[in-house]
Amino acid sequence: MSEPDRVGASQEAAAASPPDDRPRCGWATGSAPDYLVYHDEEWGVPLRGIAAMFERISLEAFQSGLSWLTILRKRPAFRSAFAGFDPAVVARYDEDDVVRLLGDRGIVRNRRKIEATLHNARAVLDLDVPLDELVWSFAPDPTGRTRPATPADVPAVSPESTAMAKELKRRGLRFVGPTTCYALMQAVGIVDDHVLGCWRAR
């Protein structure tokens, strides 16, 4: 979700009031409370751990074509449906599980995305390096980056996200295009795209 879901945020406008007067990225204010909490507590916070990274990759894939708000609100159901995104468990899911998941109204019921999640779990187990280490290996040099002044300055892709997408695909993962990979980099703190003046800007 590049600068979380500008479309989804605009659709939910005027639904929340910031709890304080700290300056924030525009997408987090005047929008759904879910965005505010996500902005303040998660977006851009460095994330480690194989299961945690697998969850983020999976949710970014499910978000494709949808509002990130939809995914946020369904995240508890996703975690339940996919065994906390433990790739060792998800890798053992079979066609019966696909059918079960397609009937689960708590998640996004898209067969291609569900099957890709199962496939990706198996690909993660086949990696010769932990998933989170692989993803973080594409971190850009922070000294060469300029903090975005406005949302219009936030890119949708980068050379690093393009390289990450190519490598993840080479290693067998699906639904990992350059835009999805850049959104992942933002979400897990590999890049810090909080705009100039936001209290969360590092």
Side-chain angles (χ1 to χ4, degrees), residues 35-197:
Y35 277 133
L36 192 69
V37 174
Y38 181 66
H39 171 274
D40 284 4
E41 299 181 5
E42 291 188 63
W43 195 67
V45 175
L47 181 75
R48 296 281 185 173
I50 295 174
M53 192 65 72
F54 178 55
E55 174 183 329
R56 292 301 183 92
I57 288 177
S58 300
L59 294 182
E60 292 291 350
F62 272 104
Q63 185 270 334
S64 179
L66 301 172
S67 163
W68 180 247
L69 185 61
T70 297
I71 303 303
L72 276 180
R73 289 176 172 172
K74 290 179 177 289
R75 187 162 58 170
F78 271 113
R79 286 173 171 168
S80 176
F82 288 98
F85 288 96
D86 181 341
V89 176
V90 178
R92 295 196 298 270
Y93 282 11
D94 57 18
E95 180 59 27
D96 288 342
D97 291 295
V98 172
V99 172
R100 171 180 60 82
L101 293 166
L102 286 170
D104 188 339
R105 294 187 178 185
I107 68 170
V108 174
R109 295 178 292 173
N110 179 297
R111 177 177 279 274
R112 288 182 63 235
K113 293 177 181 180
I114 290 171
E115 291 178 341
T117 304
L118 275 56
H119 175 88
N120 287 351
R122 296 166 191 140
V124 167
L125 295 184
D126 288 338
L127 293 175
D128 57 358
V129 60
L131 176 63
D132 55 338
E133 290 186 21
L134 177 61
V135 170
W136 273 90
S137 72
F138 292 94
D141 180 359
T143 62
R145 302 189 79 245
T146 301
R147 180 171 301 285
T150 70
D153 298 319
V154 178
V157 297
S158 70
E160 293 83 7
S161 76
T162 300
M164 182 195 295
K166 182 177 180 180
E167 180 62 13
L168 292 180
K169 288 179 180 179
R170 186 185 74 80
R171 290 173 177 263
L173 277 78
R174 301 175 182 170
F175 277 93
V176 286
T179 301
T180 296
C181 284
Y182 192 75
L184 174 69
M185 293 170 75
Q186 291 175 307
V188 303
I190 293 176
V191 297
D192 176 9
D193 277 344
H194 286 282
V195 298
L196 195 66

